[in-house]
Amino acid sequence: MSCIDKRAVVTGGLGGIGTAICQRLSQAGAEVIATCHPAEIDQIDAWVQAQQDKGAKICVVAGDVSTAEGGAALIGKIVEQFGAVDILVNCAGITRDTTLKKMTAEQWDAVIDTNLSSVFYVTQPVWNGMIERGFGRVINISSVNGQRGQFGQTNYAAAKAGMHGFTMALAYEGAAKGVTVNTVSPGYIDTAMTAAMRDEVREAILAGVPMRRMGTPEEIAHAVAFLADDASSYITGANLPVNGGLFMH
Ligand code: CAA
Ligand code: NAP
């Protein structure tokens, strides 16, 4: 796969899936910039070194994507320091699982702001440049639970389903301009996010996965690299499931 001479930005780049995406796009020849939450600043040096040990030179820029000001400032810094963005992977995300009857407005807002509104805040500042240059790839990391719902995740399922609505609508706006917009919907993947679940809940969910295992971050990164590839130019508005058969439609 080839992303040579392309500059890629991966939000949530220091997370489990984000790290694998950064590595994979770098292997495909892209210049990769990972973004992280300001709370992760003290992890940057060790993370950059770990990527370098695996052969990838990846820079990191910190910024909170869950606010309009944070997203705009983050992309402003990246464009000033590195130049125009060709590939954007919206991967930052959080969960605040609880049943609707117990959910607070803060838990609702945090999940909607971080998973869904962030996609608007970060994509809008790179969009015009992609359209003007006649090339762009926007890839949104949604979830199987945005496709099928999940007990205790009204906030997260709403945000992740909303991401794909955004994908489809924006795909129309980019279609005649060389800019594709797609969604990848992972199933349960082995990262800190799933490690935080109660063991018995995780085991019960895995028992229902036809492949009987979690996915790996590398399996998600492979799908992202495929959509980012120069040759994937006729795929837009798609939602690519990578879920071990957990949800088929
Ligand atoms: N289906 C039906 N009923 C359920 C249920 C389920 N999956 N889970 C719990 N219940 C029932 C319980 O039996 C209980 O019933 P009673 O009141 O009649 O006894 C009631 O709901 C309350 O259950 P809990 O005490 O477990 O409620 P809780 O508030 O403590 O826990 C929860 C709720 C934490 C959300 C828990 O249900 C849960 O962990 N659900 C799974 C959420 C999940 O899959 N998260 C994925 C995180 S990773 C991720 O999101 C990545 C991705 O994109 C895939
Ligand atoms: P993860 O390891 O927790 O990574 C998420 C990353 O997003 C973290 O580095 C996190 O930083 C960052 N982030 C959170 N809020 C942010 C903010 N406001 N601004 C900037 N960065 C922020 O989880 P993951 O499993 O790799 O998840 C990556 C994406 O895949 C998420 O969108 C998730 O919803 C999605 N996904 C995951 C799974 C799964 O099973 N793991 C399945 C489907 C979809 P902090 O650590 O500081 O919070």
Side-chain angles (χ1 to χ4, degrees):
M1 286 189 214
S2 169
C3 299
I4 290 166
D5 292 334
K6 300 293 188 309
R7 185 172 296 111
V9 169
V10 181
T11 72
L14 272 53
I17 292 175
T19 298
I21 293 171
C22 289
Q23 274 286 337
R24 190 69 188 74
L25 292 178
S26 175
Q27 283 162 15
E31 176 191 357
V32 181
I33 297 119
T35 88
C36 73
H37 192 272
E40 295 174 290
I41 280 178
D42 55 356
Q43 298 170 32
I44 293 178
D45 289 348
W47 186 89
V48 168
Q49 186 59 52
Q51 306 322 304
Q52 207 156 323
D53 293 346
K54 289 188 230 163
K57 190 175 170 298
I58 299 171
C59 296
V60 180
V61 178
D64 182 356
V65 299
S66 70
T67 68
E69 308 73 47
L74 177 70
I75 294 301
K77 251 190 279 180
I78 290 171
V79 171
E80 189 184 308
Q81 209 175 324
F82 301 95
V85 179
D86 306 299
I87 299 166
L88 171 65
V89 184
N90 286 305
C91 184
I94 58 169
T95 53
R96 296 286 183 270
D97 294 353
T98 187
T99 51
L100 184 72
K101 68 178 176 189
K102 293 190 210 162
M103 190 174 289
T104 62
E106 287 73 24
Q107 289 170 321
W108 173 268
D109 288 343
V111 169
I112 298 295
D113 292 349
T114 305
N115 294 273
L116 178 59
S117 300
S118 66
V119 175
F120 167 66
Y121 300 145
V122 175
T123 306
Q124 196 184 42
V126 305
W127 184 253
N128 284 348
M130 288 179 173
I131 296 290
E132 279 160 21
R133 290 188 305 281
F135 180 90
R137 298 278 186 269
V138 177
I139 300 163
N140 296 321
I141 308 301
S142 178
S143 166
V144 66
N145 291 344
Q147 299 180 287
R148 62 164 201 167
Q150 172 60 290
F151 190 99
Q153 287 201 308
T154 49
N155 49 3
Y156 186 81
K160 292 302 193 185
M163 283 177 90
H164 187 57
F166 177 98
T167 290
M168 292 188 290
L170 192 61
Y172 281 106
E173 297 183 27
K177 313 278 182 187
V179 184
T180 68
V181 188
N182 290 290
T183 297
V184 172
S185 287
Y188 284 77
I189 309 301
D190 192 8
T191 69
M193 189 175 268
T194 45
M197 297 169 69
R198 290 208 310 252
D199 289 348
E200 71 277 15
V201 174
R202 190 174 49 249
E203 294 313 317
I205 288 169
L206 280 182
V209 177
M211 287 194 189
R212 296 283 189 270
R213 66 169 178 88
M214 284 209 192
T216 65
E218 291 72 24
E219 287 170 322
I220 304 307
H222 176 71
V224 171
F226 166 71
L227 291 170
D229 194 286
D230 290 348
S232 294
S233 41
Y234 205 55
I235 305 173
T236 198
N239 189 352
L240 180 54
V242 188
N243 63 29
L246 180 57
F247 179 74
M248 306 179 196
H249 72 122

PDB file of all heavy atoms in Angstrom, residues 10 37 45 53 80 99 138 172 184 195 228 247:
ATOM      1  N   VAL A  10      -3.178  11.713  12.879  1.00  0.00           N
ATOM      2  CA  VAL A  10      -3.984  10.704  13.579  1.00  0.00           C
ATOM      3  C   VAL A  10      -4.321  11.246  14.968  1.00  0.00           C
ATOM      4  O   VAL A  10      -3.427  11.385  15.811  1.00  0.00           O
ATOM      5  CB  VAL A  10      -3.213   9.367  13.710  1.00  0.00           C
ATOM      6  CG1 VAL A  10      -4.075   8.314  14.415  1.00  0.00           C
ATOM      7  CG2 VAL A  10      -2.743   8.873  12.346  1.00  0.00           C
ATOM      8  N   HIS A  37      -3.933  14.031  23.779  1.00  0.00           N
ATOM      9  CA  HIS A  37      -4.579  14.926  24.740  1.00  0.00           C
ATOM     10  C   HIS A  37      -3.490  15.620  25.562  1.00  0.00           C
ATOM     11  O   HIS A  37      -2.460  15.004  25.857  1.00  0.00           O
ATOM     12  CB  HIS A  37      -5.491  14.088  25.644  1.00  0.00           C
ATOM     13  CG  HIS A  37      -6.413  14.908  26.467  1.00  0.00           C
ATOM     14  ND1 HIS A  37      -6.061  15.394  27.702  1.00  0.00           N
ATOM     15  CD2 HIS A  37      -7.667  15.353  26.214  1.00  0.00           C
ATOM     16  CE1 HIS A  37      -7.078  16.107  28.181  1.00  0.00           C
ATOM     17  NE2 HIS A  37      -8.058  16.090  27.297  1.00  0.00           N
ATOM     18  N   ASP A  45       7.647  11.635  24.990  1.00  0.00           N
ATOM     19  CA  ASP A  45       9.041  11.251  24.672  1.00  0.00           C
ATOM     20  C   ASP A  45       9.189   9.731  24.591  1.00  0.00           C
ATOM     21  O   ASP A  45       9.791   9.207  23.653  1.00  0.00           O
ATOM     22  CB  ASP A  45      10.000  11.821  25.717  1.00  0.00           C
ATOM     23  CG  ASP A  45      10.132  13.338  25.571  1.00  0.00           C
ATOM     24  OD1 ASP A  45       9.662  13.873  24.536  1.00  0.00           O
ATOM     25  OD2 ASP A  45      10.675  13.979  26.496  1.00  0.00           O
ATOM     26  N   ASP A  53      12.084   2.974  17.777  1.00  0.00           N
ATOM     27  CA  ASP A  53      12.675   1.639  17.950  1.00  0.00           C
ATOM     28  C   ASP A  53      12.062   0.652  16.960  1.00  0.00           C
ATOM     29  O   ASP A  53      12.688  -0.342  16.588  1.00  0.00           O
ATOM     30  CB  ASP A  53      12.465   1.121  19.381  1.00  0.00           C
ATOM     31  CG  ASP A  53      13.253   1.952  20.398  1.00  0.00           C
ATOM     32  OD1 ASP A  53      14.147   2.718  19.970  1.00  0.00           O
ATOM     33  OD2 ASP A  53      12.951   1.843  21.596  1.00  0.00           O
ATOM     34  N   GLU A  80       1.082  24.898  10.507  1.00  0.00           N
ATOM     35  CA  GLU A  80       2.191  25.869  10.582  1.00  0.00           C
ATOM     36  C   GLU A  80       3.538  25.145  10.674  1.00  0.00           C
ATOM     37  O   GLU A  80       4.496  25.500  10.003  1.00  0.00           O
ATOM     38  CB  GLU A  80       1.973  26.744  11.818  1.00  0.00           C
ATOM     39  CG  GLU A  80       2.923  27.925  11.895  1.00  0.00           C
ATOM     40  CD  GLU A  80       2.714  28.683  13.207  1.00  0.00           C
ATOM     41  OE1 GLU A  80       1.566  29.035  13.508  1.00  0.00           O
ATOM     42  OE2 GLU A  80       3.717  28.885  13.921  1.00  0.00           O
ATOM     43  N   THR A  99     -25.976   2.817  32.477  1.00  0.00           N
ATOM     44  CA  THR A  99     -27.352   2.758  31.953  1.00  0.00           C
ATOM     45  C   THR A  99     -27.946   4.171  31.888  1.00  0.00           C
ATOM     46  O   THR A  99     -27.520   5.065  32.618  1.00  0.00           O
ATOM     47  CB  THR A  99     -28.220   1.867  32.858  1.00  0.00           C
ATOM     48  OG1 THR A  99     -28.048   2.303  34.207  1.00  0.00           O
ATOM     49  CG2 THR A  99     -27.818   0.415  32.756  1.00  0.00           C
ATOM     50  N   VAL A 138     -10.305  11.274   4.544  1.00  0.00           N
ATOM     51  CA  VAL A 138     -10.757  11.438   5.931  1.00  0.00           C
ATOM     52  C   VAL A 138     -11.293  10.085   6.368  1.00  0.00           C
ATOM     53  O   VAL A 138     -12.156   9.502   5.686  1.00  0.00           O
ATOM     54  CB  VAL A 138     -11.851  12.525   6.057  1.00  0.00           C
ATOM     55  CG1 VAL A 138     -12.356  12.617   7.499  1.00  0.00           C
ATOM     56  CG2 VAL A 138     -11.323  13.879   5.581  1.00  0.00           C
ATOM     57  N   TYR A 172     -20.415  13.231   0.114  1.00  0.00           N
ATOM     58  CA  TYR A 172     -21.025  13.909  -1.042  1.00  0.00           C
ATOM     59  C   TYR A 172     -20.247  15.176  -1.394  1.00  0.00           C
ATOM     60  O   TYR A 172     -20.048  15.498  -2.560  1.00  0.00           O
ATOM     61  CB  TYR A 172     -22.479  14.300  -0.735  1.00  0.00           C
ATOM     62  CG  TYR A 172     -23.462  13.159  -0.852  1.00  0.00           C
ATOM     63  CD1 TYR A 172     -24.004  12.560   0.274  1.00  0.00           C
ATOM     64  CD2 TYR A 172     -23.867  12.696  -2.101  1.00  0.00           C
ATOM     65  CE1 TYR A 172     -24.911  11.521   0.178  1.00  0.00           C
ATOM     66  CE2 TYR A 172     -24.778  11.655  -2.221  1.00  0.00           C
ATOM     67  CZ  TYR A 172     -25.298  11.074  -1.075  1.00  0.00           C
ATOM     68  OH  TYR A 172     -26.199  10.044  -1.179  1.00  0.00           O
ATOM     69  N   VAL A 184     -14.375   3.463   9.552  1.00  0.00           N
ATOM     70  CA  VAL A 184     -14.003   2.096   9.930  1.00  0.00           C
ATOM     71  C   VAL A 184     -14.704   1.818  11.262  1.00  0.00           C
ATOM     72  O   VAL A 184     -14.614   2.628  12.194  1.00  0.00           O
ATOM     73  CB  VAL A 184     -12.474   1.947  10.085  1.00  0.00           C
ATOM     74  CG1 VAL A 184     -12.114   0.581  10.670  1.00  0.00           C
ATOM     75  CG2 VAL A 184     -11.782   2.148   8.736  1.00  0.00           C
ATOM     76  N   ALA A 195      -9.882  -3.109  28.136  1.00  0.00           N
ATOM     77  CA  ALA A 195      -9.316  -3.635  29.386  1.00  0.00           C
ATOM     78  C   ALA A 195     -10.051  -3.041  30.585  1.00  0.00           C
ATOM     79  O   ALA A 195     -10.079  -3.639  31.663  1.00  0.00           O
ATOM     80  CB  ALA A 195      -7.818  -3.309  29.457  1.00  0.00           C
ATOM     81  N   ALA A 228      -6.753   4.711   3.120  1.00  0.00           N
ATOM     82  CA  ALA A 228      -5.890   5.881   2.898  1.00  0.00           C
ATOM     83  C   ALA A 228      -5.092   5.775   1.599  1.00  0.00           C
ATOM     84  O   ALA A 228      -4.621   6.781   1.064  1.00  0.00           O
ATOM     85  CB  ALA A 228      -4.915   6.022   4.075  1.00  0.00           C
ATOM     86  N   PHE A 247     -21.083  -8.285  13.966  1.00  0.00           N
ATOM     87  CA  PHE A 247     -22.291  -7.671  13.383  1.00  0.00           C
ATOM     88  C   PHE A 247     -22.140  -7.667  11.873  1.00  0.00           C
ATOM     89  O   PHE A 247     -21.161  -7.132  11.344  1.00  0.00           O
ATOM     90  CB  PHE A 247     -22.463  -6.241  13.911  1.00  0.00           C
ATOM     91  CG  PHE A 247     -23.670  -5.542  13.340  1.00  0.00           C
ATOM     92  CD1 PHE A 247     -24.952  -5.880  13.765  1.00  0.00           C
ATOM     93  CD2 PHE A 247     -23.522  -4.557  12.375  1.00  0.00           C
ATOM     94  CE1 PHE A 247     -26.070  -5.231  13.232  1.00  0.00           C
ATOM     95  CE2 PHE A 247     -24.636  -3.902  11.851  1.00  0.00           C
ATOM     96  CZ  PHE A 247     -25.904  -4.244  12.277  1.00  0.00           C
TER      97      PHE A 247
END
